Amino acid sequence: MTDSIVIPRSLPEAALTYAALGIRVFRVRRSKAPYANCPRCDRESSIYVQHRPEECQCGVPTCHGFYSATTDPDLIRKWWREEPDANIGAPCKLNGWAVVDIDPRNGGHKSLCAVEEKVGPLPGALMQITGGDGLHILYQSPGVSLPGTPFPGIDFKHNGYILLAPSVHKSGGRYQWSGDGRFRHPTVAWPSVLVPRPRPRPALRAVPTVTTEDGTRDFMAELVQLVMDAAPHSWHGRNNSLYVAACKAHALAQSGLLDLIDAEFALLSAADAVGLSRSEAEATFHSASMRPRRGGGAA
């Protein structure tokens, strides 16, 4: 594996250079937004087809953001021939990285100083200066999930993506690798002091069995009751109960045992009653649709 390499200043050539190093890349707009999904993959579209992004079979190679990332030189040439000024995105976890993203505009440098004062200096690693005068510190991906924004002005980029040099920030500044400006594969392990400690999960009741007057099971009432029973628990407990109920609702709908639209309305109403915001509840309900299925079945 190449120890270090100079990255061309041309965005198309840089994308090909990263791909030759085994790094998956994809096109990103100057707004940092990936190129749009096709109608079959757009949740807001009337012809959206429910599916997991990593299992997309729509045939459009730019859908689902970083899930479209590739090392295929022919596809990369095609993308940047169409959009020669497109920035270069790279998924973190899919490339084996975890990144400490420091944004000075939101107090990231102060937060970093506070963290290092408490746990000691973070191990030296590959760093990238962002176009907005921020900093990326790239480590090898740990085997655990990481919180998104653990401190003010600091993000842990693991499930998401970053832009790579020489991408252009909206301010006009370019991303660049620190030091001699050469890229090196991250070789330093994610700092153990930044690995989140396991958080005990609140005890949640199993789905209660509810029957109607004629003796049949009322699945909708059972799922709503599961969410309502979580009211005394923490936010994480209530959100976890909603997620469990949503997963069961999707499975039941797949088996034809309830209507998913009705279930969504009922569960979002229950979530509101136990103190979850509408945006939080909607995100949790829809995330359940991405959970791998093990076949249908009753709750």
Side-chain angles (χ1 to χ4, degrees):
M1 181 179 294
T2 304
D3 177 54
S4 65
I5 189 169
V6 175
I7 301 298
R9 191 169 177 82
S10 160
L11 287 163
E13 291 302 316
L16 286 168
T17 300
Y18 287 120
L21 294 171
I23 298 169
R24 303 185 195 183
V25 297
F26 65 104
R27 293 185 304 184
V28 180
R29 298 183 186 277
R30 290 292 169 89
S31 64
K32 292 188 178 181
Y35 280 72
N37 292 335
C38 74
R40 286 166 53 87
C41 299
D42 184 351
R43 286 185 176 277
E44 303 301 320
S45 169
S46 62
I47 61 172
Y48 167 69
V49 177
Q50 182 176 305
H51 60 280
R52 303 184 73 210
E54 61 268 39
E55 296 173 355
C56 180
Q57 298 180 5
C58 74
V60 180
T62 54
C63 283
H64 301 295
F66 60 74
Y67 288 104
S68 66
T70 183
T71 59
D72 181 347
D74 292 333
L75 183 54
I76 291 170
R77 288 190 187 95
K78 178 179 182 296
W79 282 349
W80 268 270
R81 189 164 52 246
E82 295 171 349
E83 298 284 347
D85 293 330
N87 280 330
I88 304 168
C92 296
K93 190 174 182 178
L94 293 178
N95 279 314
W97 306 340
V99 179
V100 179
D101 181 2
I102 301 166
D103 182 359
R105 294 167 299 178
N106 293 310
H109 288 162
K110 292 181 180 178
S111 291
L112 179 62
C113 289
V115 169
E116 292 193 323
E117 185 175 331
K118 183 175 181 180
V119 303
L122 299 182
L126 174 68
M127 293 190 292
Q128 179 177 231
I129 301 169
T130 73
D133 293 328
L135 184 67
H136 290 157
I137 308 176
L138 281 71
Y139 295 100
Q140 291 183 336
S141 174
V144 297
S145 297
L146 299 174
T149 307
F151 312 107
I154 293 181
D155 290 340
F156 289 169
K157 295 291 182 65
H158 192 214
N159 292 325
Y161 62 91
I162 61 172
L163 299 187
L164 301 182
S167 293
V168 182
H169 189 263
K170 61 182 179 181
S171 66
R174 283 185 178 266
Y175 286 66
Q176 56 183 322
W177 298 107
S178 63
D180 60 7
R182 299 170 72 91
F183 172 81
R184 298 166 176 82
H185 283 278
T187 58
V188 179
W190 179 260
S192 59
V193 294
L194 297 182
V195 175
R197 296 180 179 178
R199 178 179 297 168
R201 292 188 175 183
L204 298 175
R205 290 178 56 182
V207 180
T209 300
V210 179
T211 56
T212 61
E213 292 183 358
D214 62 2
T216 60
R217 287 183 68 178
D218 188 339
F219 294 112
M220 192 82 76
E222 293 177 6
L223 298 180
V224 168
Q225 190 62 49
L226 175 61
V227 177
M228 297 301 294
D229 285 348
H233 295 295
S234 67
W235 178 90
H236 292 283
R238 295 192 294 273
N239 195 58
N240 188 56
S241 287
L242 174 61
Y243 180 74
V244 171
C247 288
K248 292 181 180 296
H250 281 87
L252 288 164
Q254 194 174 36
S255 300
L257 296 174
L258 56 71
D259 182 273
L260 189 60
I261 295 177
D262 290 343
E264 180 177 8
F265 177 81
L267 291 179
L268 293 184
S269 298
D272 179 67
V274 298
L276 295 175
S277 72
R278 175 53 64 108
S279 60
E280 293 168 339
E282 287 180 344
T284 297
F285 185 89
H286 289 303
S287 69
S289 69
M290 304 303 175
R291 184 172 180 265
R293 301 282 172 249
R294 297 183 179 178

